[in-house]
Amino acid sequence: MPLTSGGRIPREFFEDHACVVARKLLGQRLVRILDGVRLAGVVVETEAYRGEEDLGCHCRHGRTPRTSVMYGPAGFAYVYFTYGMHWMFNIVVERDGFPAAVLIRALLPMEGLDRMAEHRREKPMARWADGPAKLCQALSIDGKLNGSDLCAPKAQLFLEWGQPIPDSRVTTTPRVGLNSVPEPWKSIPWRYLVSDWQADLPRELNITSETDYWRKR
DNA sequence: AGCACGATTAACT
DNA sequence: GTTAATCGTGCTC
């Protein structure tokens, strides 16, 4: 394990171009403290959204009550509700005053698996956090966390250094679900994912019975 | 006040 | 591949 692994990621990490942050978030660990217990997963899929000119970004309408947190400083949570039932978790990035965020789209479950299984009952582990709304269910993330500081010492939701993912493992594609968004925003390749993470990453991270990854309920 | 639609998911045919 | 679920948001009237 690299020496950096395990420590909290500082705010400066997020004060960068949204695409750079989206790329370097791969392999880092998202941690949720629930009743004093750690639920955590490795970030394996992200998307960048930046600026009012990005017609795929919620900020295309300018500053509104919903999007105001995206105009603030980096390292804060932008959590929004959509389709009448789903929460989405984003990290605000770039400089204070410029609206940008990175959507976390998938996690490899690592810690607090008993609790995650309860949140995602009847689903196989591979489906616990392989979508932006699913990972919010798995980690119990909802609107109460909107605007929370992910870099605060007492944060209940934050990021820790994980394992670097080499470029050879990273794929970029257009962002998902922007069906009625005009070009070039519809097709710009601002989605970042770890290739074959469901098959390869557990092995590469040396996840074995010494962690709770394979533990049965 | 009314309306169309959404950075999705699960359950269908 | 198609579709229901379900409601906040931001736009138009």
Side-chain angles (χ1 to χ4, degrees):
Chain A
M1 294 278 268
L3 293 173
T4 53
S5 188
R8 293 276 289 268
I9 296 180
R11 193 176 313 282
E12 301 80 62
F13 178 92
F14 305 108
E15 296 172 338
D16 209 338
H17 191 289
C19 294
V20 173
V21 180
R23 165 63 182 87
K24 67 187 182 181
L25 270 169
L26 298 177
Q28 314 301 351
R29 186 170 296 217
L30 180 65
V31 183
R32 172 78 165 118
I33 306 295
L34 220 52
D35 305 321
V37 175
R38 283 171 62 100
L39 313 197
V42 174
V43 177
V44 290
E45 182 178 341
T46 59
E47 280 175 359
Y49 292 85
R50 69 183 305 272
E52 296 177 351
E53 66 277 7
D54 173 6
L55 297 181
C57 180
H58 289 163
C59 292
R60 64 185 175 279
H61 299 300
R63 190 171 191 148
T64 67
R66 180 171 67 153
T67 60
S68 63
V69 65
M70 287 181 74
Y71 287 77
F76 284 74
Y78 169 45
V79 182
Y80 71 92
F81 187 65
T82 191
Y83 290 102
M85 65 191 87
H86 297 307
W87 294 100
M88 303 280 157
F89 169 65
N90 301 249
I91 303 169
V92 175
V93 299
E94 304 213 24
R95 66 165 214 277
D96 191 1
F98 183 85
V102 172
L103 172 70
I104 307 301
R105 287 192 59 89
L107 299 175
L108 172 64
M110 292 290 289
E111 300 177 58
L113 303 180
D114 289 352
R115 199 69 192 276
M116 289 171 108
E118 291 172 15
H119 296 159
R120 299 282 303 145
R121 202 181 301 278
E122 314 232 345
K123 305 293 191 300
M125 186 187 290
R127 303 277 167 75
W128 285 355
D130 64 333
K134 298 183 201 179
L135 71 89
C136 286
Q137 289 176 28
L139 298 191
S140 195
I141 295 171
D142 64 20
K144 291 190 289 295
L145 286 164
N146 187 42
S148 68
D149 186 357
L150 306 172
C151 303
K154 298 169 79 169
Q156 304 290 290
L157 181 65
F158 53 88
L159 288 112
E160 289 180 350
W161 295 110
Q163 298 249 5
I165 304 293
D167 286 345
S168 59
R169 295 289 321 269
V170 177
T171 304
T172 63
T173 78
R175 295 171 292 182
V176 175
L178 305 189
N179 302 309
S180 63
V181 170
E183 299 291 0
W185 310 107
K186 180 177 178 175
S187 300
I188 198 166
W190 284 0
R191 176 183 181 222
Y192 298 79
L193 59 158
V194 179
S195 309
D196 299 317
W197 65 269
Q198 292 199 120
D200 298 340
L201 202 57
R203 192 171 63 244
E204 294 192 14
L205 291 177
N206 197 27
I207 292 166
T208 67
S209 56
E210 71 186 346
T211 76
D212 61 358
Y213 189 80
W214 302 112
R215 187 152 49 110
K216 296 284 196 290
R217 295 202 64 222

